[in-house]
Every structure is written in structure tokens, then in C-alpha cells.
Amino acid sequence: MLNIDKETFKSDYIQKFIEIHGKDLEEGTDYNKYEALASLIRDYVAKMWIDTNKRYKENKSKQVYYFSMEFLLGRLLGSNLLNLGINDLCREGLNELGIDLTKLEYLEEDQGLGNGGLGRLAACFLDSMASLGISGHGCGIRYKHGFFNQKIINFSQVEVPDDWLKRGNLWEIKKSDKARIVKFGGEVKVEYIDGNLKFHHVNYEKVQAVPYDMPIVGYKNNVVNTLRLWSAEPLSNEFDFSSFNRGDFKKAMEYKDSVEAISQVLYPDDSFYEGKLLRLKQEYFFVSAGIQSIIHHFKSTGGNIKELDEKIAIHMNDTHPTLAVPELMRILVDEEGIGWDNAWRMTNNIMSYTNHTILAEALEKWPVDMFKKLLPRIFMIIQEIDRRFCEGLRNKYPGQWDKINKMQIINGGFVKMANLAIVGSHSVNGVAKLHTEILKKQEMSDFYYCYPNKFNNKTNGITHRRWLMIANPQLTELLKKTIGDSFITHPTDMINFQKFAKDSGVQEELKRIKNRNKKKLADYIYKVQGIRVDEESMFDVQVKRLHAYKRQTLNCIRIMDLYNRLLDNPNLDIVPRTFIFAGKSAPGYYLAKDIITLIN
């Protein structure tokens, strides 16, 4: 918790404003005032950040790294003020300076780093780990244009770039000195040295991965962990200067453009070959950069590489980071000289995997020809993992070829990422009890019966401090008044609110809070859509990404049914309802885009 009084904050804020903008506070725009506040809070956080990393180093703490294609962080100013314990102090101090904190909070750009539940889960995990004092860090991609901004034109979704970085990102720090080289394409040369096979990756394309670090602030505990996001940037010495001088500008810029494309957008359309190739590049890019960085940091702080699995844990959020398994094997075997069996034992101990879907079509797989060409050494390692795995299956299930074929990692011309993730991890979890049971008994049953001890459940949760204390401060105050404030750090204590279920005074206050919140939403809908909604009606809300399995279509059919019943019987006894939808479809998912058109 930050120990600071209101007058010190006000003095620091005015000083920071002058330092950044070179003018008096009264002359500044609202955005100038937001910049000064975010910069000051980052300065407050920086000291804790340094102290946290020093403490981890001195204590030789085991480090957890959470690898994810998405981190749906939302705006950070409000959550950082809350977690530092200075939200009320800042609000009052700014108010005395004639500044409305709520107004400044809305000026922050939503970070374009995620799309749906998978990304929000990743963000909640980071918040929880920091708040619990676990040395847990995130690893992902710094998307220049995020997912996309959605416009509705002629009732249909139209995608435009999400330019969330146009004014920079005040929470990030670029760490150019910690850049890593990621290798694509080329060939692998094999030679025998002292009776051992040695593998040399040659003629590859180099891509520079530059890290941008963001602080993840724990709740009132002086812990600040790190989210490291990688940006793909060209190497200056790879620029084709001679082509440029000859006037062949297109050829000279090809390398730069192909490199920068890697970290341009989240989930490029993979309905065609080039889009698939770019997605595969993205996945290897951040995994390779992340693991190289982890091992470099581990060794530079005196760690013994043979004890890596005692001090490092890597979690794969869905199949996107599954290439962490063969990439770690590559580094341990090719660069650290560790024998295959020991390297595989260590890798298995380090890796764990969250499965997010039971839909067969949503489980990632990559065409062998594409994979082999882009990642030749990684493909060889996966082949060897698969060969050894299948050898074990043949001994365990003699003659059961259908079962073995289903479980193979490379099969039918594809590399199957979920199979690789399960084989390469010591722990596999679903995200809800029912989901995990379906995985175990149906979709992944062959793997479950082969590795029963690997499978477990972790029911999805949310960080209630953001989604209750920030999102609904009036309800938070009611909870504090009735059950005390222990639920802030021990959310299960909210069960104590049950005893007020028949308390008419509490019920009335709940109703007032709900009505005030509904009015705020109704006002917002009118402001952005020009539509007036009935605040007294039941709000029936479905907010999530648009997808056939998310059941927005079923909801539409329900609306049609209610409408038809009202046409048949205008006197039908029915509670007035306002249906509210929000969500985006992936650009290439035409069925989901049709559902958006249907809703409109």
C-alpha cells in the first residue's frame, strides 16, 4: 500500500504536470491532466516494481510465467489507484484542484491486447497472482492495432483499425536492451560431434523481438509483477540498402513490412494461407522470445540450468502458446547440451495447459508443409516427441491403432496443438467443472485414461475488486455496511450477505442501487446510440464475442418467439424487456457476422 498524504499527492501532481507539459495546470487540456496523473502513478509504482524484483532475486522465488495470446486488461488507471490504496485520496486531491478523476479515467485508451473471455481470464490471473504475492508474470504480444474497432453499417459489422497506441501507452516501458532474435525459415544442418548429433539452424530470417514491460500492481501489498509484451521490429543491419539505392523500394521494404506484420493485429483472418502463416508466426514469435528471455534471466541471476524445473513454471493459456514445449526442448538440447530424456523431464515439469474449448474445429492444427518450412528445427523436435510418445502408446495399447492414431501429435498432414500441449504438460485443466468432465469423459477421453493424474479443474473466476469495487461502488458500500470489508481480500466471505436475503431494508437499498445503475446504462445508450430505453423494463443482457457456440442465435429466436406471442395475444402477461447485445465477430467468421446482422 502506498503511504502518502493528500497534500503530498497534490504537490507531486502539479510538479509532474509542469515537468511533462511545461505550463501551468490551468492551461492544460483534460488529456494533459490524464497524462500527468498516469505518469505520476507509474512513478509511484516504479519503486515498488524494483523492490519486488529485488526481493524475488534475493529469495530465489520460483517464477511463474503465464503465456497468452490475449490480455484483456481494460483501463489501468482506476485499478492501479485502487490496488495502491489511494483512490479516494487522489479523487479528493484532484477535486480540490478542480479536476474530476472520473473524467480523466474515461480518457484512457482501452488496451488493444485482447478480445474475449480467454484474455480477461489472463488479466484476472495476473491481478490475482500479484495480489496473492505470487511471483507470476505475463508474456504476450504488443499488438499495434489490437483486434479491431467495430462499426455497424447497414446493420452489419465493418472492421476498422483499433489505433489504441496513437498517443502512446503511458503504462509501458520499452526495454530495447533485452531484445531477442527469433528465427524463421532456413534449413537445419546435422553433424556428429564426439558421437552426439548436433543441429545447426542456418539461412534463417531474423526477427527482432523487443519487450515492452507493464507493471501489474497487487492489492495493497507492495507487490508489482510484470506483463512483458513483445513487438516485432526489423533489424537495421537486415535492411536491403543496395536495393533501396537502386530504386527498388518495394524489395527494400519487403523485409520491414513482413516483420512488422507479426505484431500488427490480434487474430489475423486465417481463412486463407497467408493469414494462417501469419498466425503461426505470431505464436512462435512470442513463445520463442519469452522462453529465451526467461532462461537468460534465470542464468544471469546465478541459476543452474539443470535446476530450471525447480525454479520456473510456464502456463499455456489455450493452445496458442503450445510451441513453448518444443522451443524449450530446442534450447535445452541444442543450446544447453542437456540430453533428451532429462530435457523432456524438465520440460514436462515446467509446462501446464488450460484448455478453453471442447469444439473439435476450434482445436488448433497446422498443415505439416507450412509448419516444416517456417519452423524446420521445431518440426524435427515435434516429430521426435511424437515418435517417442507413439512408441509408448504401442506398448500400452498393442494393436489399438485407431486410438493411437487419434492421439498422435502429427497425423493426417497436420500438427495437432492440443495433443502436443497435453503430452508436453504435467497439468491440464478445463475452465469449469462441466467443461473439465466433458474433456475427461468425451473429447479428450483417450488422453485422460492414459494420463488420469494430469487432468484437473480450475473454475474460471474474475478479480472481484475490478468487477465489484470499481464497476459498482454503491453495491460495494452496501456490502461493507452489512458484512464488513473482509470480502475485499477474501471474496468467499460474500456468502455472509445471504443472511440479509429477507431483510426488507437491505432489499430496498439493493433495488435503489440497481435502478441507479440501470439509469446510468440507459443514459449511456442514449448518448452513444440515440435510443431511449425503458429504465423500468427488465434488462436482458448478452455481452460476449459473437460465435455460434455462444448462443446469440438462440437468444434471437427467443426474442422472435416472444414477439410472435405478443402479436397473437396483445394482452399477454409479460414483464417488459429490453434486450441488449454487445460483441464482435472475428473478421473471417461469416456465420457470426450474419448473426450480428440478424440481431440488428
Side-chain angles (χ1 to χ4, degrees):
M1 185 169 175
L2 188 64
N3 191 12
I4 189 173
D5 62 46
K6 185 167 64 178
E7 293 308 313
T8 304
F9 163 74
K10 284 162 65 177
S11 172
D12 289 349
Y13 178 70
I14 293 166
Q15 183 60 40
K16 176 57 71 175
F17 186 92
I18 294 168
E19 183 187 304
I20 290 176
H21 300 298
K23 57 188 175 186
D24 286 333
L25 192 59
E26 293 74 26
E27 298 175 66
T29 65
D30 286 341
Y31 193 79
N32 291 156
K33 292 167 187 173
Y34 160 72
E35 286 178 304
L37 180 59
S39 299
L40 176 61
I41 300 308
R42 198 185 77 177
D43 289 351
Y44 287 159
V45 166
K47 176 73 168 61
M48 291 183 189
W49 204 359
I50 292 165
D51 290 345
T52 299
N53 286 326
K54 271 186 187 169
R55 199 160 58 244
Y56 289 159
K57 187 177 175 182
E58 287 163 7
N59 298 342
K60 299 191 183 323
S61 307
K62 186 169 187 173
Q63 303 291 306
V64 180
Y65 296 93
Y66 194 91
F67 278 49
S68 180
M69 282 290 276
E70 298 182 45
F71 288 93
L72 193 56
L73 298 170
R75 298 182 176 107
L76 291 177
L77 179 58
S79 62
N80 285 344
L81 290 174
L82 179 78
N83 286 356
L84 288 170
I86 58 171
N87 190 57
D88 293 340
L89 177 148
C90 284
R91 189 173 297 281
E92 290 169 22
L94 289 169
N95 196 44
E96 288 171 16
L97 295 171
I99 299 168
D100 180 358
L101 174 58
T102 303
K103 201 172 180 182
L104 299 193
E105 286 175 327
Y106 275 106
L107 291 172
E108 181 176 356
E109 288 282 350
D110 219 331
Q111 309 226 4
L113 302 170
N115 170 32
L118 180 146
R120 188 55 236 172
L121 174 67
C124 285
F125 257 103
L126 295 188
D127 182 283
S128 293
M129 287 192 286
S131 296
L132 291 168
I134 295 167
S135 48
H137 317 284
C139 178
I141 297 177
R142 180 183 181 265
Y143 302 104
K144 189 175 179 184
H145 292 297
F147 194 38
F148 59 83
N149 271 337
Q150 179 197 62
K151 288 188 179 299
I152 303 295
I153 298 173
N154 293 331
F155 309 111
S156 300
Q157 171 178 292
V158 175
E159 303 90 23
V160 295
D162 174 12
D163 215 5
W164 73 282
L165 283 168
K166 62 181 178 290
R167 286 167 149 171
N169 178 4
L170 291 166
W171 301 110
E172 68 184 13
I173 298 175
K174 186 176 183 179
K175 299 284 183 77
S176 299
D177 58 316
K178 298 185 185 298
R180 298 284 157 227
I181 300 297
V182 179
K183 302 169 184 177
F184 293 107
E187 304 94 37
V188 178
K189 294 196 170 172
V190 187
E191 61 177 339
Y192 275 101
I193 298 177
D194 300 328
N196 293 314
L197 283 172
K198 297 288 179 187
F199 300 88
H200 305 284
H201 192 180
V202 297
N203 303 324
Y204 47 79
E205 178 191 58
K206 293 180 188 174
V207 172
Q208 182 177 222
V210 179
Y212 289 73
D213 287 357
M214 280 200 285
I216 303 297
V217 183
Y219 182 70
K220 293 186 179 181
N221 64 354
N222 298 320
V223 169
V224 181
N225 287 340
T226 303
L227 169 58
R228 174 162 287 182
L229 300 171
W230 297 93
S231 175
E233 299 181 10
L235 287 149
S236 56
N237 59 0
E238 295 289 309
F239 179 70
D240 193 342
F241 194 73
S242 59
S243 292
F244 192 87
N245 269 354
R246 288 196 307 271
D248 191 350
F249 307 128
K250 187 179 176 187
K251 184 171 186 290
M253 298 304 288
E254 271 175 4
Y255 166 72
K256 179 178 181 292
D257 292 345
S258 74
V259 167
E260 290 179 348
I262 294 170
S263 53
Q264 284 288 337
V265 297
L266 168 64
Y267 299 143
D269 184 355
D270 64 350
S271 59
F272 57 101
Y273 182 88
E274 288 77 8
K276 274 191 175 64
L277 184 65
L278 181 55
R279 275 221 201 182
L280 182 55
K281 263 191 169 183
Q282 285 184 326
E283 293 183 7
Y284 183 66
F285 166 76
F286 91 93
V287 154
S288 177
I291 291 181
Q292 287 183 61
S293 173
I294 290 166
I295 290 179
H296 178 268
H297 180 262
F298 177 76
K299 290 170 71 176
S300 69
T301 53
N304 179 345
I305 195 68
K306 291 180 180 173
E307 297 170 358
L308 187 72
D309 57 326
E310 294 171 26
K311 293 295 181 183
I312 299 293
I314 295 174
H315 190 78
M316 301 179 290
N317 190 27
D318 213 1
T319 52
H320 312 121
T322 304
L323 293 176
V325 173
E327 175 65 4
L328 181 56
M329 285 295 290
R330 181 190 70 78
I331 292 172
L332 293 177
V333 173
D334 293 1
E335 297 182 8
E336 300 296 336
I338 294 172
W340 182 279
D341 289 342
N342 276 334
W344 182 246
R345 175 188 55 78
M346 290 164 67
T347 297
N348 221 252
N349 288 344
I350 288 167
M351 297 293 170
S352 53
Y353 160 56
T354 291
N355 173 282
H356 278 266
T357 182
I358 55 173
L359 296 176
E361 70 268 22
L363 295 173
E364 284 191 305
K365 56 185 183 180
W366 301 106
V368 162
D369 291 345
M370 174 193 288
F371 198 108
K372 195 191 300 187
K373 188 175 178 185
L374 185 69
L375 305 169
R377 179 59 183 139
I378 294 299
F379 182 72
M380 291 170 72
I381 290 168
I382 293 174
Q383 276 184 309
E384 183 60 15
I385 293 170
D386 196 32
R387 185 189 70 77
R388 291 173 181 240
F389 171 58
C390 289
E391 195 175 280
L393 290 180
R394 283 193 292 273
N395 292 332
K396 191 174 180 111
Y397 306 115
Q400 296 185 45
W401 302 115
D402 284 348
K403 182 191 284 282
I404 293 166
N405 285 342
K406 264 176 71 181
M407 295 174 74
Q408 272 186 303
I409 297 165
I410 303 171
N411 182 264
F414 290 96
V415 182
K416 298 183 174 182
M417 304 307 275
N419 294 18
L420 176 60
I422 294 169
V423 172
S425 299
H426 68 275
S427 171
V428 178
N429 70 275
V431 291
K433 188 177 179 183
L434 177 61
H435 172 218
T436 303
E437 288 306 305
I438 292 170
L439 280 182
K440 284 160 55 173
K441 303 297 164 62
Q442 293 177 39
E443 298 304 317
M444 299 288 182
S445 59
D446 290 330
F447 285 100
Y448 172 63
Y449 291 117
C450 187
Y451 300 122
N453 295 330
K454 280 191 184 189
F455 285 76
N456 58 87
N457 180 56
K458 300 286 182 292
T459 298
N460 263 7
I462 56 164
T463 171
H464 66 295
R465 283 176 289 272
R466 172 183 279 273
W467 297 107
L468 174 60
M469 296 175 71
I470 296 176
N472 201 340
Q474 293 172 343
L475 179 57
T476 303
E477 289 308 309
L478 178 61
L479 286 168
K480 285 181 184 175
K481 205 161 64 178
T482 51
I483 63 170
D485 62 4
S486 65
F487 71 90
I488 294 171
T489 49
H490 297 89
T492 51
D493 287 356
M494 278 189 264
I495 196 78
N496 295 326
F497 195 51
Q498 259 186 344
K499 65 179 93 158
F500 295 93
K502 292 180 181 173
D503 185 313
S504 58
V506 170
Q507 291 293 333
E508 280 303 311
E509 182 57 22
L510 269 174
K511 190 176 176 183
R512 279 193 292 271
I513 291 166
K514 192 166 192 174
N515 287 342
R516 282 195 289 264
N517 287 335
K518 285 175 74 176
K519 184 178 186 323
K520 280 173 72 177
L521 178 54
D523 290 345
Y524 181 77
I525 290 170
Y526 180 67
K527 180 182 169 187
V528 298
Q529 297 290 347
I531 297 168
R532 290 211 179 274
V533 300
D534 178 4
E535 293 163 27
E536 298 299 316
S537 66
M538 179 193 290
F539 283 11
D540 189 319
V541 185
Q542 191 174 15
V543 178
K544 51 179 66 183
R545 67 190 174 91
L546 265 291
H547 196 293
Y549 90 92
K550 296 288 189 183
R551 300 187 177 88
Q552 285 97 344
T553 320
L554 193 64
N555 204 349
C556 284
I557 293 168
R558 174 166 169 258
I559 296 168
M560 294 174 196
D561 174 58
L562 286 171
Y563 179 69
N564 285 326
R565 284 162 63 193
L566 278 165
L567 288 180
D568 290 342
N569 178 11
N571 298 315
L572 186 70
D573 183 15
I574 182 172
V575 175
R577 285 167 165 79
T578 299
F579 289 90
I580 300 167
F581 290 88
K584 297 175 181 177
S585 157
Y589 190 4
Y590 298 108
L591 174 59
K593 290 172 89 165
D594 280 347
I595 296 168
I596 289 175
T597 307
L598 173 65
I599 291 168
N600 282 301

